[in-house]
Amino acid sequence: MNTKDPTADNSKETEALPAVGSDADFLQTLGKRVREIRDRRGMTRKLVAREANVSERHLAHLEGGEGNVSIVLLRHIARALDVSLVELLAPEAEDTVEKRLIRRFLERLPQNRLEEVVFRLMRDFGHEEAVRRKRIALIGLRGAGKSTLGGRLAKEEGMPFIELDREIEKDTGMPASELFALYGQSGYRRIEKRALERVIRDHDRAVISVGGGVVAQPETYEMLLSNCLTVWVKAQPEEHMARVMAQGDLRPMAGNDEAMEDLKRILEARESLYARADTMLDTSGETVEESFLKLRQFVAS
């Protein structure tokens, strides 16, 4: 049975409570917060007042730290500013300069760029970053030097070298040309995605050479970027073509007088996609040794 005297001195319990600022301080902080968010949104006081269904004078008093406001009206103002009540009432000390700068940067981005930025933040600062960097993927069109550089890097790093095209042939028992003929572009890309999933699942460390068309399949490309340190290996169109033909493959020119123009258009159309890789390695006009040194330096860093 509790026999504690209700009239006893409770000063110790009172001292244990966190300090609370005055109402005036709270209203000043709240007003400053509303004003900052409104400025960040680029909204006039008149516009916010109209959206929140409050008088402009009432809003001016609130921003000046002079007004009192009901929780319902405060909710309306938060909605007009497109923020939560929690964010509106957050103490200034919890909102650092760095956070405000990041928030302003994100608010100015168009919607179609937000997904890319969020992905890059997750990729570069997520808890799986160390695991991702143990798989090195080389992407780009044929003739850039992926197989030559990738094979050499894998040997030096003591990793397996995996060419995704070969893995697809192993899985299906058919060369890529037959797969394209049987299943078309979309069917081949589905097979490619399954092969990449298996390679990532089975290999914590590897150097992987991936066909240049992977960037045109968003889900597969996102999986590659999320699970591998990616290097876009590129060259001038003329060098792409010359290297492929030097390997004895004359298909790029077979029955197509405009093969070079087609290649240029492909490179131009995919440039922004290839640029999402962690780095770019231009092998144009360089020896294998020069390009390999650059690749090795990037991987080491």
Side-chain angles (χ1 to χ4, degrees), residues 30 121 127 148 176 181 187 207 216 236 260 281 283 295:
L30 176 61
L121 287 173
H127 68 282
T148 301
V207 178
Q236 293 299 313
M260 183 61 69
L281 175 63
T283 62
L295 176 61

Side-chain angles (χ1 to χ4, degrees), residues 196-256:
L196 181 59
E197 287 174 341
R198 177 181 58 77
V199 168
I200 290 172
R201 183 178 63 249
D202 294 347
H203 297 276
D204 293 332
R205 298 177 71 250
V207 178
I208 309 169
S209 173
V210 184
V214 72
V215 299
Q217 189 65 27
E219 288 187 13
T220 309
Y221 193 31
E222 293 291 349
M223 176 171 57
L224 185 74
L225 293 170
S226 299
N227 291 278
C228 303
L229 186 69
T230 49
V231 181
W232 171 23
V233 186
K234 65 174 290 188
Q236 293 299 313
E238 294 78 9
E239 293 198 46
H240 274 289
M241 191 72 75
R243 291 170 185 174
V244 171
M245 295 181 68
Q247 296 168 6
D249 188 350
L250 302 181
R251 286 177 298 170
M253 287 302 200
N256 188 358

